Amino acid sequence: MAAWGNRRYSPFAAATEMDAPVQTMNKPAHLENTSTPAATTAENLVRAIPLLDRWMHTTLSHTPESDISLRQLAVLQQIADESATPGEIARSLNVTPAVITGLIDRLERRGFVRRFDSQFDRRRVHLELTVSGDDARVQASASLGERMQGELGSLSPSELQTIDEALRLLTKSMLTAKDG
């Protein structure tokens, strides 16, 4: 768990809040009577994802062995997964090219990425990880994974299997969804 001051933060601290029935008082009028399983799941995801994102940001920022941000980790992971251009990364992470340029500039100054011109089109710039960039990516991912294992350690094997299956189905659904 990430800690700062006298407070400890966990994405699971709000579990009782997540277990509570979804309140309808904040719903727009046209959604008040939509309590389908898909609507309830969607509402729970919309509530859970920001908690998980905040936990990951906080965990990385308080992990001495990892000195990269979550967004930098996402860029390094994207480059590791496929040869990428800054524009492709910006589209994939849903940020502006200016944001990616700044991130890549910082990663390049730290020796984590290298830019190179396309051999087919000199206007295109490609990115590749350096050895130290890959090491930073692996270290940050391992730190997050270890800390997440600690958070999940109190769950039963059946609960973990349920989460794993739900994540697999969610990933499959998101990969097949059309961007909109």
Side-chain angles (χ1 to χ4, degrees), residues 55-127:
W55 179 85
M56 291 174 69
H57 278 283
T58 303
T59 298
L60 270 181
S61 68
H62 290 88
T63 304
E65 61 273 8
S66 173
D67 62 347
I68 62 172
S69 70
L70 188 58
R71 191 167 272 177
Q72 288 172 331
L73 175 59
V75 170
L76 294 176
Q77 190 61 53
Q78 179 90 21
I79 296 168
D81 289 344
E82 58 192 66
S83 176
T85 67
E88 291 166 347
I89 294 173
R91 282 187 294 282
S92 173
L93 298 179
N94 200 28
V95 297
T96 66
V99 169
I100 290 301
T101 298
L103 283 166
I104 293 168
D105 287 347
R106 286 187 291 282
L107 291 168
E108 189 174 40
R109 278 194 300 272
R110 295 178 68 190
F112 290 167
V113 299
R114 185 180 80 79
R115 288 178 167 108
F116 64 96
D117 293 331
S118 168
Q119 66 187 71
F120 303 110
D121 184 352
R122 293 213 43 187
R123 295 170 296 175
R124 289 183 61 98
V125 173
H126 290 272
L127 303 165

Side-chain angles (χ1 to χ4, degrees), residues 152-174:
L152 297 173
S154 64
L155 300 178
S156 72
S158 172
E159 290 170 319
L160 292 170
Q161 186 175 6
T162 299
I163 291 170
D164 193 48
E165 179 64 13
L167 290 171
R168 187 188 67 72
L169 290 170
L170 179 63
T171 301
K172 179 181 175 185
S173 175
M174 293 297 105

